[in-house]
Amino acid sequence: MRLAARRVATRPMQRRPELDALRGILLVLMTLTHLPTRLNAYSSQPLGFISAAEGFVFLSAFLVGVTQARPKGPAATMWRGMWKRALKVYRYHVGLLAFAFAVIGTLGVFGDRPAIRNLLDFFHREPLTALWSSLVLLYCPPLLDILPLYVVLLALTPLVLTGAHRFGWARMLVVSGLVWLAAQVGLKHALYDWLETFPGSPARFDTSGAFDLFAWQFLWVVGVWRGARHARSPAPPPQRHSASRFAGALVLSVAFLLVRYEAFGLGVVTEWAPLLFDKWTLGALRLLNFGVVAVLVGRVAPPLVARLKPRVLAMLGSASLPVFATHLVLCLLSLALINEHEDPLDGVEEFAVLVVTFAIMLFVAFRHQRGGTVPRSAPLLTPGE
């Protein structure tokens, strides 16, 4: 019996092309959301009260859980591997910061571009403080606040996995859930208020980035748990249970869509409970919305990808970290097209921005695929070594 269990636990991860395609779709949605075009009104939260960010975080954590559920050596090897991945993401983040401060900051000041000048307002007011505090992840400018979240989550993942091994996943999920609950009542704000009391502290709540680490760690831990569980028990659930779960998820997803688009006057729901749908602190109903959509996607994506074979999306998803960094550079540059009056781009400019942006992203993905530098089953935004 033990031998059989060991065989399941050490079974090689099978190719999951639907995950690459999903990553590609998420990259497209995120790019459309960040570009200053009219399409961002439709790409931000198309499936209810969830964005591409939730999918990125969960898929990253899921794949980390899958790969780390089958240890290939001593615990020290796992710690070094995870920290190596965190350092790789950190290097990308530092490169993006250097580009933002040196290029975008200069354009904002001397090019009279308020859209990008406001983006780096703290850097323009206190450049030295902004510079060194950004390196320790205390200052996270808009659009540049997602990679710091990954760096911290990856660095803390060995603690999660070690705790799960010693105390069980149930306790780790409870602890993570309690931290998430504390985030709902202002843990991050209280922490930054305390840090600001120290003389010379660079901590500022309003420049710390939109994503609340204490809230988003819960989605990460759940993703790692689901990945580890999948690696040990890859068999699908019984058909009856799977069908009932799918039906329930479909009903709830439709309900969230109706509320999201204010159908039948249901938009009032978000007015009396905005925190329950909040993106940055991952409100409770937002988490539920993501959960039910994830059930639907998990059921529909594999056969759909097998039938359609979306190779372009899969190519984008397989090179997610460099493509993600490229999209941020292009989005920052596109903001420089917004004039001093902050007039929206006209139709020709929007079309040109979209074509150039996606052409360059595809080129980067193609180069990485041809170079063989991106493993097929690498965690999202954290390619394996």
PDB file of all heavy atoms in Angstrom, residues 42-69:
ATOM      1  N   TYR A  42     -13.667  46.642 -21.128  1.00  0.00           N
ATOM      2  CA  TYR A  42     -14.286  45.330 -21.313  1.00  0.00           C
ATOM      3  C   TYR A  42     -13.395  44.182 -20.850  1.00  0.00           C
ATOM      4  O   TYR A  42     -13.882  43.083 -20.605  1.00  0.00           O
ATOM      5  CB  TYR A  42     -14.621  45.124 -22.794  1.00  0.00           C
ATOM      6  CG  TYR A  42     -15.458  46.237 -23.376  1.00  0.00           C
ATOM      7  CD1 TYR A  42     -14.868  47.254 -24.113  1.00  0.00           C
ATOM      8  CD2 TYR A  42     -16.836  46.286 -23.171  1.00  0.00           C
ATOM      9  CE1 TYR A  42     -15.624  48.295 -24.647  1.00  0.00           C
ATOM     10  CE2 TYR A  42     -17.604  47.310 -23.699  1.00  0.00           C
ATOM     11  CZ  TYR A  42     -16.987  48.314 -24.431  1.00  0.00           C
ATOM     12  OH  TYR A  42     -17.748  49.338 -24.945  1.00  0.00           O
ATOM     13  N   SER A  43     -12.101  44.428 -20.733  1.00  0.00           N
ATOM     14  CA  SER A  43     -11.171  43.348 -20.391  1.00  0.00           C
ATOM     15  C   SER A  43     -10.844  43.270 -18.909  1.00  0.00           C
ATOM     16  O   SER A  43     -10.267  42.290 -18.458  1.00  0.00           O
ATOM     17  CB  SER A  43      -9.861  43.539 -21.172  1.00  0.00           C
ATOM     18  OG  SER A  43      -9.258  44.782 -20.844  1.00  0.00           O
ATOM     19  N   SER A  44     -11.206  44.278 -18.148  1.00  0.00           N
ATOM     20  CA  SER A  44     -10.802  44.332 -16.747  1.00  0.00           C
ATOM     21  C   SER A  44     -11.390  43.189 -15.926  1.00  0.00           C
ATOM     22  O   SER A  44     -10.671  42.459 -15.261  1.00  0.00           O
ATOM     23  CB  SER A  44     -11.210  45.680 -16.138  1.00  0.00           C
ATOM     24  OG  SER A  44     -10.852  45.735 -14.783  1.00  0.00           O
ATOM     25  N   GLN A  45     -12.707  43.028 -15.951  1.00  0.00           N
ATOM     26  CA  GLN A  45     -13.366  41.971 -15.178  1.00  0.00           C
ATOM     27  C   GLN A  45     -14.497  41.382 -16.019  1.00  0.00           C
ATOM     28  O   GLN A  45     -15.669  41.559 -15.697  1.00  0.00           O
ATOM     29  CB  GLN A  45     -13.913  42.521 -13.852  1.00  0.00           C
ATOM     30  CG  GLN A  45     -12.850  43.071 -12.929  1.00  0.00           C
ATOM     31  CD  GLN A  45     -13.413  43.540 -11.600  1.00  0.00           C
ATOM     32  OE1 GLN A  45     -13.012  43.080 -10.551  1.00  0.00           O
ATOM     33  NE2 GLN A  45     -14.341  44.470 -11.621  1.00  0.00           N
ATOM     34  N   PRO A  46     -14.165  40.657 -17.067  1.00  0.00           N
ATOM     35  CA  PRO A  46     -15.204  40.203 -17.995  1.00  0.00           C
ATOM     36  C   PRO A  46     -16.069  39.069 -17.463  1.00  0.00           C
ATOM     37  O   PRO A  46     -17.175  38.864 -17.951  1.00  0.00           O
ATOM     38  CB  PRO A  46     -14.400  39.737 -19.212  1.00  0.00           C
ATOM     39  CG  PRO A  46     -13.086  39.326 -18.647  1.00  0.00           C
ATOM     40  CD  PRO A  46     -12.822  40.268 -17.515  1.00  0.00           C
ATOM     41  N   LEU A  47     -15.590  38.312 -16.484  1.00  0.00           N
ATOM     42  CA  LEU A  47     -16.321  37.136 -16.014  1.00  0.00           C
ATOM     43  C   LEU A  47     -16.928  37.324 -14.631  1.00  0.00           C
ATOM     44  O   LEU A  47     -17.159  36.359 -13.908  1.00  0.00           O
ATOM     45  CB  LEU A  47     -15.394  35.910 -16.011  1.00  0.00           C
ATOM     46  CG  LEU A  47     -14.838  35.501 -17.371  1.00  0.00           C
ATOM     47  CD1 LEU A  47     -13.901  34.322 -17.227  1.00  0.00           C
ATOM     48  CD2 LEU A  47     -15.963  35.182 -18.339  1.00  0.00           C
ATOM     49  N   GLY A  48     -17.166  38.554 -14.274  1.00  0.00           N
ATOM     50  CA  GLY A  48     -17.715  38.827 -12.949  1.00  0.00           C
ATOM     51  C   GLY A  48     -16.776  39.724 -12.172  1.00  0.00           C
ATOM     52  O   GLY A  48     -16.169  40.641 -12.730  1.00  0.00           O
ATOM     53  N   PHE A  49     -16.620  39.439 -10.882  1.00  0.00           N
ATOM     54  CA  PHE A  49     -15.767  40.261 -10.021  1.00  0.00           C
ATOM     55  C   PHE A  49     -14.395  39.613  -9.865  1.00  0.00           C
ATOM     56  O   PHE A  49     -13.877  39.457  -8.745  1.00  0.00           O
ATOM     57  CB  PHE A  49     -16.436  40.471  -8.663  1.00  0.00           C
ATOM     58  CG  PHE A  49     -17.731  41.223  -8.756  1.00  0.00           C
ATOM     59  CD1 PHE A  49     -18.925  40.540  -8.871  1.00  0.00           C
ATOM     60  CD2 PHE A  49     -17.754  42.604  -8.769  1.00  0.00           C
ATOM     61  CE1 PHE A  49     -20.133  41.217  -8.974  1.00  0.00           C
ATOM     62  CE2 PHE A  49     -18.956  43.295  -8.873  1.00  0.00           C
ATOM     63  CZ  PHE A  49     -20.149  42.600  -8.980  1.00  0.00           C
ATOM     64  N   ILE A  50     -13.803  39.220 -10.969  1.00  0.00           N
ATOM     65  CA  ILE A  50     -12.465  38.649 -10.960  1.00  0.00           C
ATOM     66  C   ILE A  50     -11.695  39.212 -12.142  1.00  0.00           C
ATOM     67  O   ILE A  50     -12.263  39.532 -13.174  1.00  0.00           O
ATOM     68  CB  ILE A  50     -12.475  37.104 -11.031  1.00  0.00           C
ATOM     69  CG1 ILE A  50     -13.293  36.634 -12.226  1.00  0.00           C
ATOM     70  CG2 ILE A  50     -12.996  36.514  -9.744  1.00  0.00           C
ATOM     71  CD1 ILE A  50     -13.235  35.146 -12.447  1.00  0.00           C
ATOM     72  N   SER A  51     -10.386  39.330 -11.962  1.00  0.00           N
ATOM     73  CA  SER A  51      -9.519  39.850 -13.007  1.00  0.00           C
ATOM     74  C   SER A  51      -8.470  38.803 -13.353  1.00  0.00           C
ATOM     75  O   SER A  51      -8.431  37.715 -12.772  1.00  0.00           O
ATOM     76  CB  SER A  51      -8.842  41.144 -12.528  1.00  0.00           C
ATOM     77  OG  SER A  51      -7.972  40.863 -11.443  1.00  0.00           O
ATOM     78  N   ALA A  52      -7.601  39.160 -14.281  1.00  0.00           N
ATOM     79  CA  ALA A  52      -6.530  38.234 -14.662  1.00  0.00           C
ATOM     80  C   ALA A  52      -5.566  37.984 -13.516  1.00  0.00           C
ATOM     81  O   ALA A  52      -4.939  36.926 -13.445  1.00  0.00           O
ATOM     82  CB  ALA A  52      -5.775  38.791 -15.872  1.00  0.00           C
ATOM     83  N   ALA A  53      -5.453  38.940 -12.591  1.00  0.00           N
ATOM     84  CA  ALA A  53      -4.493  38.800 -11.496  1.00  0.00           C
ATOM     85  C   ALA A  53      -4.795  37.581 -10.632  1.00  0.00           C
ATOM     86  O   ALA A  53      -3.884  36.848 -10.229  1.00  0.00           O
ATOM     87  CB  ALA A  53      -4.487  40.068 -10.643  1.00  0.00           C
ATOM     88  N   GLU A  54      -6.064  37.342 -10.326  1.00  0.00           N
ATOM     89  CA  GLU A  54      -6.412  36.167  -9.513  1.00  0.00           C
ATOM     90  C   GLU A  54      -6.005  34.882 -10.210  1.00  0.00           C
ATOM     91  O   GLU A  54      -5.470  33.954  -9.577  1.00  0.00           O
ATOM     92  CB  GLU A  54      -7.923  36.144  -9.231  1.00  0.00           C
ATOM     93  CG  GLU A  54      -8.392  37.178  -8.237  1.00  0.00           C
ATOM     94  CD  GLU A  54      -8.780  38.495  -8.881  1.00  0.00           C
ATOM     95  OE1 GLU A  54      -8.405  38.734 -10.048  1.00  0.00           O
ATOM     96  OE2 GLU A  54      -9.458  39.299  -8.217  1.00  0.00           O
ATOM     97  N   GLY A  55      -6.237  34.822 -11.518  1.00  0.00           N
ATOM     98  CA  GLY A  55      -5.847  33.630 -12.258  1.00  0.00           C
ATOM     99  C   GLY A  55      -4.344  33.439 -12.265  1.00  0.00           C
ATOM    100  O   GLY A  55      -3.848  32.311 -12.117  1.00  0.00           O
ATOM    101  N   PHE A  56      -3.582  34.514 -12.439  1.00  0.00           N
ATOM    102  CA  PHE A  56      -2.124  34.421 -12.437  1.00  0.00           C
ATOM    103  C   PHE A  56      -1.621  33.869 -11.114  1.00  0.00           C
ATOM    104  O   PHE A  56      -0.783  32.967 -11.073  1.00  0.00           O
ATOM    105  CB  PHE A  56      -1.526  35.804 -12.677  1.00  0.00           C
ATOM    106  CG  PHE A  56      -1.195  36.083 -14.113  1.00  0.00           C
ATOM    107  CD1 PHE A  56      -2.206  36.245 -15.047  1.00  0.00           C
ATOM    108  CD2 PHE A  56       0.107  36.179 -14.534  1.00  0.00           C
ATOM    109  CE1 PHE A  56      -1.913  36.507 -16.377  1.00  0.00           C
ATOM    110  CE2 PHE A  56       0.410  36.435 -15.868  1.00  0.00           C
ATOM    111  CZ  PHE A  56      -0.603  36.602 -16.790  1.00  0.00           C
ATOM    112  N   VAL A  57      -2.092  34.442 -10.028  1.00  0.00           N
ATOM    113  CA  VAL A  57      -1.606  34.025  -8.709  1.00  0.00           C
ATOM    114  C   VAL A  57      -1.964  32.573  -8.434  1.00  0.00           C
ATOM    115  O   VAL A  57      -1.121  31.782  -7.984  1.00  0.00           O
ATOM    116  CB  VAL A  57      -2.184  34.949  -7.612  1.00  0.00           C
ATOM    117  CG1 VAL A  57      -1.888  34.400  -6.222  1.00  0.00           C
ATOM    118  CG2 VAL A  57      -1.612  36.357  -7.749  1.00  0.00           C
ATOM    119  N   PHE A  58      -3.196  32.202  -8.703  1.00  0.00           N
ATOM    120  CA  PHE A  58      -3.626  30.835  -8.404  1.00  0.00           C
ATOM    121  C   PHE A  58      -2.882  29.816  -9.260  1.00  0.00           C
ATOM    122  O   PHE A  58      -2.432  28.779  -8.758  1.00  0.00           O
ATOM    123  CB  PHE A  58      -5.132  30.696  -8.605  1.00  0.00           C
ATOM    124  CG  PHE A  58      -5.658  29.336  -8.242  1.00  0.00           C
ATOM    125  CD1 PHE A  58      -5.924  29.018  -6.928  1.00  0.00           C
ATOM    126  CD2 PHE A  58      -5.867  28.375  -9.226  1.00  0.00           C
ATOM    127  CE1 PHE A  58      -6.404  27.762  -6.577  1.00  0.00           C
ATOM    128  CE2 PHE A  58      -6.345  27.115  -8.887  1.00  0.00           C
ATOM    129  CZ  PHE A  58      -6.610  26.806  -7.563  1.00  0.00           C
ATOM    130  N   LEU A  59      -2.755  30.073 -10.561  1.00  0.00           N
ATOM    131  CA  LEU A  59      -2.060  29.136 -11.431  1.00  0.00           C
ATOM    132  C   LEU A  59      -0.590  29.002 -11.048  1.00  0.00           C
ATOM    133  O   LEU A  59      -0.020  27.907 -11.089  1.00  0.00           O
ATOM    134  CB  LEU A  59      -2.180  29.575 -12.888  1.00  0.00           C
ATOM    135  CG  LEU A  59      -3.430  29.120 -13.645  1.00  0.00           C
ATOM    136  CD1 LEU A  59      -3.406  29.687 -15.051  1.00  0.00           C
ATOM    137  CD2 LEU A  59      -3.520  27.617 -13.682  1.00  0.00           C
ATOM    138  N   SER A  60       0.043  30.110 -10.691  1.00  0.00           N
ATOM    139  CA  SER A  60       1.430  30.061 -10.243  1.00  0.00           C
ATOM    140  C   SER A  60       1.555  29.161  -9.032  1.00  0.00           C
ATOM    141  O   SER A  60       2.429  28.287  -8.965  1.00  0.00           O
ATOM    142  CB  SER A  60       1.927  31.461  -9.895  1.00  0.00           C
ATOM    143  OG  SER A  60       1.893  32.306 -10.997  1.00  0.00           O
ATOM    144  N   ALA A  61       0.694  29.390  -8.056  1.00  0.00           N
ATOM    145  CA  ALA A  61       0.744  28.605  -6.827  1.00  0.00           C
ATOM    146  C   ALA A  61       0.422  27.140  -7.095  1.00  0.00           C
ATOM    147  O   ALA A  61       1.042  26.232  -6.524  1.00  0.00           O
ATOM    148  CB  ALA A  61      -0.233  29.188  -5.807  1.00  0.00           C
ATOM    149  N   PHE A  62      -0.542  26.890  -7.957  1.00  0.00           N
ATOM    150  CA  PHE A  62      -0.922  25.514  -8.291  1.00  0.00           C
ATOM    151  C   PHE A  62       0.267  24.747  -8.849  1.00  0.00           C
ATOM    152  O   PHE A  62       0.549  23.611  -8.439  1.00  0.00           O
ATOM    153  CB  PHE A  62      -2.070  25.537  -9.298  1.00  0.00           C
ATOM    154  CG  PHE A  62      -2.530  24.183  -9.746  1.00  0.00           C
ATOM    155  CD1 PHE A  62      -3.470  23.472  -9.006  1.00  0.00           C
ATOM    156  CD2 PHE A  62      -2.017  23.611 -10.903  1.00  0.00           C
ATOM    157  CE1 PHE A  62      -3.898  22.219  -9.416  1.00  0.00           C
ATOM    158  CE2 PHE A  62      -2.435  22.364 -11.321  1.00  0.00           C
ATOM    159  CZ  PHE A  62      -3.376  21.660 -10.579  1.00  0.00           C
ATOM    160  N   LEU A  63       0.986  25.348  -9.782  1.00  0.00           N
ATOM    161  CA  LEU A  63       2.119  24.670 -10.396  1.00  0.00           C
ATOM    162  C   LEU A  63       3.286  24.525  -9.425  1.00  0.00           C
ATOM    163  O   LEU A  63       4.035  23.551  -9.489  1.00  0.00           O
ATOM    164  CB  LEU A  63       2.548  25.411 -11.654  1.00  0.00           C
ATOM    165  CG  LEU A  63       1.559  25.281 -12.816  1.00  0.00           C
ATOM    166  CD1 LEU A  63       1.922  26.219 -13.955  1.00  0.00           C
ATOM    167  CD2 LEU A  63       1.507  23.846 -13.314  1.00  0.00           C
ATOM    168  N   VAL A  64       3.454  25.491  -8.531  1.00  0.00           N
ATOM    169  CA  VAL A  64       4.454  25.323  -7.477  1.00  0.00           C
ATOM    170  C   VAL A  64       4.086  24.128  -6.604  1.00  0.00           C
ATOM    171  O   VAL A  64       4.933  23.301  -6.261  1.00  0.00           O
ATOM    172  CB  VAL A  64       4.566  26.603  -6.622  1.00  0.00           C
ATOM    173  CG1 VAL A  64       5.356  26.332  -5.345  1.00  0.00           C
ATOM    174  CG2 VAL A  64       5.249  27.708  -7.415  1.00  0.00           C
ATOM    175  N   GLY A  65       2.809  24.015  -6.254  1.00  0.00           N
ATOM    176  CA  GLY A  65       2.368  22.883  -5.443  1.00  0.00           C
ATOM    177  C   GLY A  65       2.568  21.553  -6.147  1.00  0.00           C
ATOM    178  O   GLY A  65       2.967  20.565  -5.533  1.00  0.00           O
ATOM    179  N   VAL A  66       2.311  21.528  -7.452  1.00  0.00           N
ATOM    180  CA  VAL A  66       2.487  20.291  -8.222  1.00  0.00           C
ATOM    181  C   VAL A  66       3.948  19.865  -8.232  1.00  0.00           C
ATOM    182  O   VAL A  66       4.278  18.693  -7.994  1.00  0.00           O
ATOM    183  CB  VAL A  66       1.969  20.477  -9.660  1.00  0.00           C
ATOM    184  CG1 VAL A  66       2.403  19.307 -10.543  1.00  0.00           C
ATOM    185  CG2 VAL A  66       0.455  20.590  -9.662  1.00  0.00           C
ATOM    186  N   THR A  67       4.839  20.802  -8.486  1.00  0.00           N
ATOM    187  CA  THR A  67       6.253  20.455  -8.598  1.00  0.00           C
ATOM    188  C   THR A  67       6.886  20.157  -7.248  1.00  0.00           C
ATOM    189  O   THR A  67       7.729  19.271  -7.136  1.00  0.00           O
ATOM    190  CB  THR A  67       7.030  21.594  -9.283  1.00  0.00           C
ATOM    191  OG1 THR A  67       6.831  22.815  -8.546  1.00  0.00           O
ATOM    192  CG2 THR A  67       6.548  21.791 -10.708  1.00  0.00           C
ATOM    193  N   GLN A  68       6.473  20.865  -6.209  1.00  0.00           N
ATOM    194  CA  GLN A  68       7.090  20.671  -4.902  1.00  0.00           C
ATOM    195  C   GLN A  68       6.440  19.560  -4.092  1.00  0.00           C
ATOM    196  O   GLN A  68       6.925  19.217  -3.018  1.00  0.00           O
ATOM    197  CB  GLN A  68       7.054  21.977  -4.104  1.00  0.00           C
ATOM    198  CG  GLN A  68       7.851  23.096  -4.738  1.00  0.00           C
ATOM    199  CD  GLN A  68       9.308  22.733  -4.943  1.00  0.00           C
ATOM    200  OE1 GLN A  68       9.923  22.067  -4.103  1.00  0.00           O
ATOM    201  NE2 GLN A  68       9.879  23.171  -6.061  1.00  0.00           N
ATOM    202  N   ALA A  69       5.340  19.016  -4.573  1.00  0.00           N
ATOM    203  CA  ALA A  69       4.711  17.902  -3.860  1.00  0.00           C
ATOM    204  C   ALA A  69       5.526  16.623  -4.000  1.00  0.00           C
ATOM    205  O   ALA A  69       5.327  15.675  -3.250  1.00  0.00           O
ATOM    206  CB  ALA A  69       3.297  17.653  -4.397  1.00  0.00           C
TER     207      ALA A  69
END
